[in-house]
Amino acid sequence: MRTRPLKVALLGCGVVGSEVARIMTTHADDLAARIGAPVELAGVAVRRPDKVREGIDPALVTTDATALVKRGDLDIVVEVIGGIEPARALITTAFEHGASVVSANKALLAQDGAALHAAAEEHGRDLYYEAAVAGAIPLIRPLRESLAGDKVNRVLGIVNGTTNFILDKMDSTGAGYQEALDEATALGYAEADPTADVEGFDAAAKAAILAGIAFHTRVRLDDVYREGMTEVTSADFASAREMGCTIKLLAICERAGDGASVTARVHPAMIPLSHPLASVRGAYNAVFVESDAAGQLMFYGPGAGGAPTASAVLGDLVAVGRNRISGATGPGESAYAALPVSSMGEVVTRYHISLDVADKPGVLAQVATVFAEHGVSIDTVRQSGKDGEASLVVVTHRASDAALGGTVDALRKLDTVRGVASIMRVEGE
């Protein structure tokens, strides 16, 4: 074993950073044995230096993160501060001054992953980010390394624990959205401002990262279609149950049937109870991967939290540490395929449409005619009502989003259609 320690700087010492520091200390001997050299915490950059941080020498704490990453003697910089800036500048500065980087920053990687990979390659350093997508769940490394010889066709997953907790509560207890959100907030699953989670921004960033790795194509956050879950109602769950489904907020990355393009999207969807993702409860995450040779694989576990996320960070730290000792670097960006990213309008899937209509003869015929005129085939229809008003539920066969959009626009123009109560995609066939 090498006696000279690997020097590690920690940017951020919040929920995740403090767990990283704790594990580095309590598991120091094991980490040294696995890496082949001792690991030394050389500095910790924080915003509030006066806060007591158990197990961390106050002499290591600094508010000058830039000076820390410019030291020149660091082997690895662990970035867990999040956001775009100053994280981006600190990471590139770390590369310039000889350090490899382990990050959990999904937003930055989804927006500027290509530039960060280029900077790492320019300086001969590693950029690892297992913790950026699904907490403790090993996902990026299997996609990037274990399945490197395979062709991944689809990645379908629950990648946000907050939204899964809320939807699971709505399904299992009949609670409304706000009631379930309030419980998630009280239990610490939801932030005071839950927008990033419930509007799908968090999941969209993760989808961009997953799609880029899975399809060897640069996929940015702006390429990901995003739809939040705040409009999901108890009535939607009732309709899902009648179809033998539940509702999940899904990140879906898939290769087109002809292999010539890819799509990435995040939105609520009905999913059959028979699908493995339907049984994912509470704040857990799960990702379903479909590939040519390996077939169907599922990765499941806690997708957030201090200790689970720190586990992924430390796994990357061990891998990067080994590379430093051997003088090698691990896999960098693989974007050789350079496939175009199709718009949401080209995505083909099934749809569940609930209409409020007049309860009189001929309504179903009018509605069916509109679907036929737009080339959207109907799978099933269910109608119920009384006193002149009715509910009409239509489930389609697979159709493009653009075709469905045209259909709905035409339906709204019918005198017999009072309104479109809800539209939801049906996935996981």
Side-chain angles (χ1 to χ4, degrees), residues 190-209:
E191 301 287 346
D193 179 1
T195 302
D197 295 323
V198 301
E199 293 294 351
F201 291 101
D202 175 86
K206 295 171 181 178
I209 295 170

Side-chain angles (χ1 to χ4, degrees), residues 345 349-355 357 364-379 381 392 394-415 417 419-420 422-423:
T349 188
R350 297 174 66 207
Y351 290 87
H352 176 283
I353 304 101
S354 180
L355 305 172
V357 300
L364 180 56
Q366 286 184 322
V367 169
T369 297
V370 170
F371 275 86
E373 289 174 345
H374 288 82
V376 179
S377 176
I378 295 176
D379 182 15
V381 177
L392 187 65
V394 178
V395 180
T396 74
H397 287 291
R398 292 175 65 83
S400 73
D401 192 78
L404 195 283
T407 303
V408 172
D409 288 343
L411 287 170
R412 288 192 169 105
K413 296 176 182 178
L414 293 177
D415 292 339
V417 175
V420 180
S422 69
I423 303 171

Side-chain angles (χ1 to χ4, degrees), residues 215-236:
F215 306 133
H216 305 279
T217 292
R218 286 177 179 169
V219 179
R220 289 172 51 87
L221 181 58
D222 292 344
D223 296 321
V224 182
Y225 172 83
R226 177 194 55 79
E227 184 181 320
M229 49 156 280
T230 57
E231 301 301 318
V232 176
T233 66
S234 298
D236 292 326

Side-chain angles (χ1 to χ4, degrees), residues 159-170:
V159 294
N160 183 278
T162 300
T163 54
N164 199 59
F165 178 89
I166 293 170
L167 292 173
D168 184 34
K169 280 296 176 182
M170 293 176 70

Side-chain angles (χ1 to χ4, degrees), residues 291-425:
S291 67
D292 276 359
Q296 298 179 331
L297 306 170
M298 182 168 166
F299 301 83
Y300 169 83
T309 305
S311 171
V313 169
L314 268 296
D316 279 350
L317 189 145
V318 169
V320 173
R322 289 170 175 169
N323 290 342
R324 293 286 286 194
I325 291 173
S326 65
T329 55
E333 183 189 33
S334 175
Y336 73 90
L339 296 171
V341 182
S342 298
S343 69
M344 188 62 189
E346 300 173 69
V347 170
V348 175
T349 188
R350 297 174 66 207
Y351 290 87
H352 176 283
I353 304 101
S354 180
L355 305 172
D356 295 327
V357 300
D359 187 14
K360 63 182 184 180
V363 173
L364 180 56
Q366 286 184 322
V367 169
T369 297
V370 170
F371 275 86
E373 289 174 345
H374 288 82
V376 179
S377 176
I378 295 176
D379 182 15
T380 62
V381 177
R382 186 176 69 255
Q383 185 172 3
S384 61
K386 61 181 180 179
D387 300 329
E389 299 296 329
S391 174
L392 187 65
V393 175
V394 178
V395 180
T396 74
H397 287 291
R398 292 175 65 83
S400 73
D401 192 78
L404 195 283
T407 303
V408 172
D409 288 343
L411 287 170
R412 288 192 169 105
K413 296 176 182 178
L414 293 177
D415 292 339
T416 51
V417 175
R418 310 297 193 216
V420 180
S422 69
I423 303 171
M424 190 166 294
R425 297 168 184 86

Side-chain angles (χ1 to χ4, degrees), residues 11 65-66 69 77 81 85-95 101:
L11 307 182
T66 301
V69 297
V77 169
I81 57 177
E85 292 292 357
R88 173 169 47 197
L90 292 171
I91 289 173
T92 55
T93 301
F95 290 143
V101 173

